Amino acid sequence: MTVEEGFINIENSKMRPLAGEAEGIGLDDRAFWERLMEEALEQAREAARQEEVPIGAILVGHGGERLATAYNQPRGLADPTAHAEINLLRQAARELNNYRLPGTTLVVTVEPCLMCAGAMIQARVARVVFGAFDPKAGALGSLYDLSRDQRLNHRLEVISGIREAECRELIQDFFKARR
């Protein structure tokens, strides 16, 4: 599923604009999200160089300022929770001295898992943009969909399928090389 297929209703977004949106680049401008995804892909490539599962992420504020970048490090840190998204949220929370990150957008190469999606909800991340779907562990549309769970006290806006083929290929090539 992609943005064009209506995973979210972009026109009804209540988000404040990110840098670039004010100049006419809106939520439905795929090029805007693709530029941010390139930064997440760079982080994923670094994870691969470190022999970690190649998932990378970037967090931007409502004004488009880069708050943090991170990649997967569970093996290197001997920490099963050291996913790119968790590392990113921890880094940004420390930097901002606040465990809440309202108005932020998290861009990640692969659909977040249940742990990471839950952490984003707890941090009050406003929007998640991801590349490749994860049919085995994805918690924002594939296996689960925490973004639409009415029982939770916070909703994530989700934009999916940004540079999907490139994100999917990076992770598939990583696992093919290890089989």
Side-chain angles (χ1 to χ4, degrees):
M1 188 177 298
T2 65
V3 174
E4 290 85 12
E5 292 170 332
F7 192 71
I8 67 164
N9 185 345
I10 294 171
E11 284 120 27
N12 291 336
S13 174
K14 296 179 181 104
M15 296 298 302
R16 290 179 284 177
L18 293 172
E21 290 180 328
E23 295 90 37
I25 301 171
L27 291 175
D28 59 348
D29 186 337
R30 194 169 188 85
F32 179 74
W33 298 120
E34 287 176 354
R35 286 193 301 275
L36 289 175
M37 187 60 74
E38 178 55 36
E39 294 182 47
L41 280 161
E42 275 305 312
Q43 292 296 308
R45 292 179 193 109
E46 180 57 31
R49 286 189 286 275
Q50 303 292 326
E51 298 187 13
E52 298 278 2
V53 175
I55 298 175
I58 177 173
L59 187 72
V60 296
H62 70 271
E65 66 276 15
R66 273 59 178 165
L67 301 174
T69 59
Y71 56 87
N72 268 9
Q73 293 181 283
R75 294 178 64 191
L77 297 177
D79 178 356
T81 68
H83 291 194
E85 302 95 323
I86 299 296
N87 293 342
L88 185 79
L89 294 173
R90 287 177 176 155
Q91 181 185 347
R94 278 192 303 270
E95 186 72 27
L96 298 171
N97 197 32
N98 191 346
Y99 72 107
R100 299 281 196 223
L101 304 168
T104 59
T105 296
L106 194 151
V107 179
V108 62
T109 55
V110 175
E111 180 183 4
C113 70
L114 195 56
M115 173 184 70
C116 293
M120 289 176 217
I121 289 167
Q122 293 301 314
R124 304 300 191 264
V125 169
R127 180 188 296 140
V128 179
V129 177
F130 69 84
F133 284 89
D134 184 350
K136 293 183 180 180
L140 293 179
S142 290
L143 188 59
Y144 303 102
D145 192 352
L146 291 184
S147 68
R148 296 182 184 188
D149 192 326
Q150 297 297 312
R151 297 168 296 179
L152 300 175
N153 64 344
H154 178 70
R155 306 286 177 285
L156 295 166
E157 186 170 354
V158 178
I159 297 174
S160 60
I162 303 298
R163 296 181 73 168
E164 183 175 7
E166 191 174 351
C167 293
R168 183 178 51 248
E169 185 177 309
L170 183 62
I171 201 155
Q172 285 176 341
D173 289 350
F174 176 83
F175 284 114
K176 282 179 190 171
R178 276 142 188 81
R179 289 190 180 126

